């Protein structure tokens, strides 16, 4: 999904606000915005650890329910500070087949 296509003709390319990850399952999410009409829905870059990172929406309730092989929940990277826009993270992730921060 092209970032600009999400907003009626406006060029939208936000910086990710938060990085979430599974400590023992190689999944990562860079979330850039919440849907004001649906507060359980966030937009960002997702990588489930399968080498297929993609831009799209994710339900926060689903992220809260995820557990890795050792039963560990999704965590927030407390030290993450975005240094580029979401599309730049997506370009690198598509080339390297994983999200790199």
């Amino acid at each position: 999904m092209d970032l600009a296509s999400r907003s009626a003709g406006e060029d939208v390319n936000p910086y990710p606000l938060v990085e979430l990850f599974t400590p023992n399952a190689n999944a990562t999410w860079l979330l850039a915005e919440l849907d004001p009409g649906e507060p359980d829905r966030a937009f960002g870059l997702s990588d489930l650890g399968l080498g297929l990172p993609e831009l799209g929406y994710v339900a926060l309730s689903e992220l809260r329910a995820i557990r890795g092989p050792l039963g560990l929940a999704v965590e927030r990277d407390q030290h993450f500070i975005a240094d580029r826009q979401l599309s730049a993270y997506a370009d690198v992730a598509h080339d390297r087949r994983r999200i790199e921060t």
Side-chain angles (χ1 to χ4, degrees):
M1 172 187 292
D2 181 82
L3 288 176
S5 68
R6 292 185 316 101
S7 180
E10 294 178 32
D11 185 18
V12 177
N13 192 9
Y15 281 74
L17 301 172
V18 63
E19 177 184 6
L20 303 176
F21 66 96
T22 53
N24 61 342
N26 298 321
T28 305
W29 297 265
L30 293 180
L31 303 180
E33 62 185 45
L34 293 176
D35 183 333
E38 272 187 73
D40 185 48
R41 192 166 102 148
F43 181 82
L45 180 62
S46 300
D47 178 4
L48 301 179
L50 304 173
L52 301 168
E54 65 181 0
L55 290 167
Y57 289 94
V58 62
L60 298 176
S61 57
E62 290 179 8
L63 294 181
R64 283 190 290 275
I66 292 173
R67 296 290 180 270
L70 299 178
L72 300 175
V74 172
E75 295 183 17
R76 178 180 179 198
D77 180 345
Q78 298 290 327
H79 304 286
F80 174 73
I81 298 172
D83 59 4
R84 55 194 178 269
Q85 293 171 302
L86 191 58
S87 65
Y89 284 102
D91 289 343
V92 171
H94 290 171
D95 288 345
R96 298 188 181 160
R97 301 179 54 95
R98 64 188 175 113
I99 295 174
E100 293 187 1
T101 58

